[in-house]
């Protein structure tokens, strides 16, 4: 692809937008500058290709297409059928799945599709059948009560939030916590690792309908063969949410027992994290759940986003190329180099390291909360997010951890040498930041003290580090 073509495409798009609302064009341009200049270590973010981005900016956005390929509630969906079928075909081929559903708008939506499919498959309940005929947003409190009564408090066992699990795996602030009676499995307090014997024990006691594996802040691999055996031993449906590590599965870094697709009854993912596609979701399953999964829209999803499905098809085609496997391996190499660099400088890491794309620093060793550390790093041009650590004493808001991930910097081309420099920058900021005090002299969990000159210096070093790895090198906005 010629660099000229990419520059021309984005420049022309901005010119067209600028003619209507120049502030939007300016914000889009400013976002590119910000992303180019900051050291992006948010484990769930990446940089999609120009082809993926451009596939989203067009008239597919204008089309309603409720239903599925070849069975729509609207006329004129032949081109939407083409891109949805392509996205599903690429997903099936890439992951070796029997069935793929490309419509979910996000990871939460993908999980909701999976939960309803499992309930519909496993539970006989008239209120559920009635609810399936309507959109979830239209259900009243009474509908929910009837459903809860009929479903008989169906149970879900998932990883606890502070061990790295996800909100959508049955926790209260998410609808999954209302649909299911939830119990969590944590990690071993000494090693920080999943203790499969404990998971099996919890499953035997709790007898869940659904056993969920998957995480957003656990820096290790999960053995899905063992988890499936646990699910089978109690008759549970085994679901894996691979949103964070889908790129590592696609790139065949996670294979055998660590590839969820051959082991789980149903797998969900987002498409924009390590998979490097557009923002969106995907569900994979075997033939037995396919029909229920395909009812995702209008059962729980609003109208599909054909422009995003077009972009999913492009990104999934990219992930099927041989160079994606190399990218996936470099994500893990970089995360391990970052972990080693931090450990060598004295940082404490949850589980002592990583074997995936993310590292979780316990910043209490620096005398900071996650919130203080996150802000101090941001002042220094390093973008991360605070995250709870197991048994976090500072709760989910302030937290005691900083989660960092390598998918984005790896896309930019940074390698293990640059990860060591990155570890040095992070350690410099965290070791030079001190906790601040409230006006009454008590310790603050949010305030911090960091010499602005140091933050500035680190910011410049970060920019210098990035200078050799231009982001979207083919895009010159002039
Ligand atoms: N919000 C995503 C993350 O940052 O991990 C997960 O949904």
């Amino acid at each position: 692809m010629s660099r000229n073509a990419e520059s021309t495409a984005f420049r022309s798009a901005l010119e067209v937008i600028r003619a209507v609302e120049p502030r939007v064009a300016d914000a889009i341009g400013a976002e590119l500058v910000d992303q180019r200049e900051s050291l992006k270590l948010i484990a769930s973010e990446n940089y999609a290709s120009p082809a993926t981005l451009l596939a989203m900016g067009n008239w597919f956005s204008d089309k309603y297409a409720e239903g599925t390929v070849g069975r729509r509630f609207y006329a004129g969906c032949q081109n939407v059928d083409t891109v949805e079928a392509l996205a599903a075909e690429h997903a099936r081929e890439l992951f070796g799945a029997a069935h793929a559903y490309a419509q979910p708008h996000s990871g939460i939506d993908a999980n909701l599709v999976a939960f309803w499919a499992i309930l519909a498959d496993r539970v006989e309940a008239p209120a559920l059948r009635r609810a399936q005929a309507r959109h979830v947003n239209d259900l009243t409190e009474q509908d929910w009560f009837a459903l809860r009564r009929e479903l008989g408090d169906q149970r879900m066992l998932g990883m606890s939030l502070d061990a790295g699990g996800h909100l959508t795996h049955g926790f209260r602030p998410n609808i999954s916590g209302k649909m299911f009676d939830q119990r969590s499995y944590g990690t071993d307090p000494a090693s920080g690792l999943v203790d499969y014997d404990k998971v099996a024990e919890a499953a035997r006691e709790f007898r869940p309908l659904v056993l969920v594996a998957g995480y957003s802040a656990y820096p290790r691999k999960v053995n899905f063969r063992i988890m499936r055996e646990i699910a089978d031993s109690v008759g549970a449906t085994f679901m894996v949410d691979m949103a964070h590590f889908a790129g590592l599965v696609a790139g065949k870094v996670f294979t055998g027992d660590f590839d969820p697709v051959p082991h789980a009854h149903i797998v969900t993912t987002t498409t924009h994290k390590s998979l490097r596609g557009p923002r969106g979701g995907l569900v994979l399953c075997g033939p037995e759940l396919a029909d229920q999964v395909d009812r995702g829209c209008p059962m729980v999803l609003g109208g599909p986003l054909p422009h995003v499905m077009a972009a999913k098809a492009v990104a999934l085609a990219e992930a099927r190329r041989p160079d994606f496997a190399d990218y996936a391996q470099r994500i893990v190499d970089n995360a391990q180099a970052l972990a080693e660099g931090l450990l060598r400088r004295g940082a404490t890491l949850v589980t002592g390291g990583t074997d995936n794309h993310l590292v979780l620093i316990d910043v209490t060793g620096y005398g900071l909360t996650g919130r203080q550390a996150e802000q101090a790093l941001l002042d220094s041009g390093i973008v991360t997010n605070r995250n709870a650590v197991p048994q976090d004493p500072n709760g989910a808001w302030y937290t005691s951890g900083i989660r960092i991930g390598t998918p984005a910097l790896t896309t930019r081309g940074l390698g293990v040498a640059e990860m060591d420099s990155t570890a040095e920058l992070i350690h410099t900021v965290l070791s030079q930041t001190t906790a601040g005090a409230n006006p009454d002299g008590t310790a603050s969990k949010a305030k911090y003290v960091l010499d602005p000159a140091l933050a500035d210096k680190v910011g410049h070093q970060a920019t210098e580090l990035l200078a050799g790895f231009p982001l979207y090198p083919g895009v010159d906005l002039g």
Side-chain angles (χ1 to χ4, degrees):
M1 172 54 51
S2 93
R3 294 185 167 201
N4 260 348
E6 290 175 7
S7 290
T8 305
F10 286 100
R11 276 189 195 195
S12 303
L14 287 179
E15 196 181 317
V16 173
I17 295 165
R18 181 163 284 108
V20 179
E21 175 46 289
R23 290 170 296 184
V24 170
D26 289 346
I28 294 171
E31 182 59 27
L32 180 59
V33 173
D34 288 353
Q35 294 210 21
R36 279 178 166 162
E37 289 179 354
S38 57
L39 207 53
K40 176 150 100 169
L41 284 160
I42 294 193
S44 49
E45 292 188 5
N46 210 327
Y47 304 109
S49 71
T52 298
L53 296 179
L54 289 167
M56 275 183 284
N58 56 68
W59 29 89
F60 260 136
S61 167
D62 299 333
K63 198 72 196 98
Y64 248 119
E66 289 184 11
T68 46
V69 177
R71 255 185 351 154
R72 306 283 183 187
F73 292 90
Y74 292 81
C77 291
Q78 58 280 4
N79 300 309
V80 179
D81 279 358
T82 300
V83 292
E84 181 168 351
L86 275 171
E89 179 190 319
H90 284 310
R92 286 193 309 270
E93 294 294 325
L94 179 64
F95 293 110
H99 185 71
Y101 182 62
Q103 289 191 23
H105 310 150
S106 69
I108 285 186
D109 287 0
N111 286 349
L112 207 46
V113 170
F115 296 149
W116 281 88
I118 294 167
L119 287 170
D121 181 53
R122 300 284 309 274
V123 183
E124 264 315 316
L128 177 65
R129 304 286 160 221
R130 284 199 302 277
Q132 281 183 305
R134 294 156 63 188
H135 191 279
V136 74
N137 290 343
D138 297 331
L139 298 183
T140 63
E141 274 290 303
Q142 273 155 342
D143 292 327
W144 280 111
F145 283 135
L147 260 172
R148 284 303 295 262
R149 249 195 332 271
E150 286 192 8
L151 295 177
D153 286 331
Q154 295 301 328
R155 295 170 177 179
M156 171 186 291
L157 180 63
M159 191 179 213
S160 71
L161 272 182
D162 73 350
H166 194 255
L167 208 60
T168 56
H169 301 172
F171 292 94
R172 289 283 160 214
N174 179 258
I175 201 163
S176 56
K178 300 184 195 304
M179 291 166 69
F180 290 94
D181 179 9
Q182 199 265 12
R183 190 179 292 182
S184 307
Y185 56 88
T187 44
D188 177 70
S191 65
L193 302 175
V194 171
D195 179 336
Y196 297 100
D197 290 339
K198 287 264 164 57
V199 180
E201 197 181 304
R204 274 195 304 274
E205 272 175 22
F206 190 53
R207 314 293 300 184
L209 179 83
V210 193
L211 175 65
V212 184
Y215 50 78
S216 56
Y218 179 68
R220 296 292 178 178
K221 293 196 260 197
V222 171
N223 187 314
F224 299 115
R225 180 187 52 78
I226 298 178
M227 293 295 279
R228 172 62 186 260
E229 283 168 11
I230 295 170
D232 284 348
S233 72
V234 295
T237 298
F238 181 39
M239 169 175 158
V240 176
D241 176 347
M242 66 169 182
H244 261 263
F245 52 92
L248 306 184
V249 178
K252 311 293 177 239
V253 177
F254 285 4
T255 55
D257 292 354
F258 305 103
D259 175 352
V261 180
H263 301 292
H265 294 101
I266 189 160
V267 176
T268 61
T269 185
T270 51
T271 44
H272 50 272
K273 298 187 175 88
S274 53
L275 197 50
R276 207 164 59 180
R279 304 196 70 78
L282 198 63
V283 180
L284 308 171
C285 62
E288 60 290 343
L289 286 173
D291 180 51
Q292 292 298 342
V293 163
D294 281 349
R295 292 169 193 251
C297 170
M299 187 167 74
V300 295
L301 300 175
L305 307 176
H307 55 308
V308 180
M309 291 197 288
K312 285 175 187 171
V314 171
L316 290 163
E318 288 172 344
R320 289 182 67 191
R321 293 181 182 164
D323 61 348
F324 194 86
D326 173 57
Y327 164 66
Q329 185 58 54
R330 284 187 294 112
I331 291 176
V332 178
D333 294 346
N334 278 347
Q336 290 177 338
L338 192 51
E340 281 158 23
L342 287 162
L343 287 169
R344 216 177 321 113
R345 290 168 175 87
T348 305
L349 305 184
V350 173
T351 77
T354 180
D355 43 36
N356 57 24
H357 63 298
L358 71 87
V359 175
L360 190 57
I361 312 174
D362 182 338
V363 293
T364 54
Y366 291 103
L368 301 171
T369 63
R371 176 142 179 203
Q372 291 162 331
E374 177 192 84
Q375 284 303 312
L377 289 167
L378 188 63
D379 291 349
S380 313
I382 303 173
V383 188
T384 65
N385 69 279
R386 64 187 186 279
N387 207 102
V389 300
Q391 294 93 43
D392 199 310
N394 288 317
W397 179 249
Y398 293 108
T399 82
S400 302
I402 284 290
R403 187 186 67 165
I404 52 182
T406 52
L409 290 186
T410 306
T411 293
R412 251 181 117 142
L414 281 79
V416 292
E418 291 76 29
M419 290 304 113
D420 194 56
S421 309
T422 302
E424 173 64 19
L425 297 181
I426 292 171
H427 175 72
T428 300
V429 173
L430 296 182
S431 58
Q432 299 296 314
T433 303
T434 51
N438 293 312
D440 64 3
T442 56
S444 168
K445 289 187 175 185
K447 297 198 170 95
Y448 60 97
V449 181
L450 171 64
D451 179 359
L454 180 84
D456 216 37
K457 185 174 160 205
V458 172
H460 279 107
Q461 288 170 329
T463 310
E464 272 167 27
L465 185 66
L466 291 170
F469 304 93
L471 176 62
Y472 296 119
V475 179
D476 175 7
L477 294 184

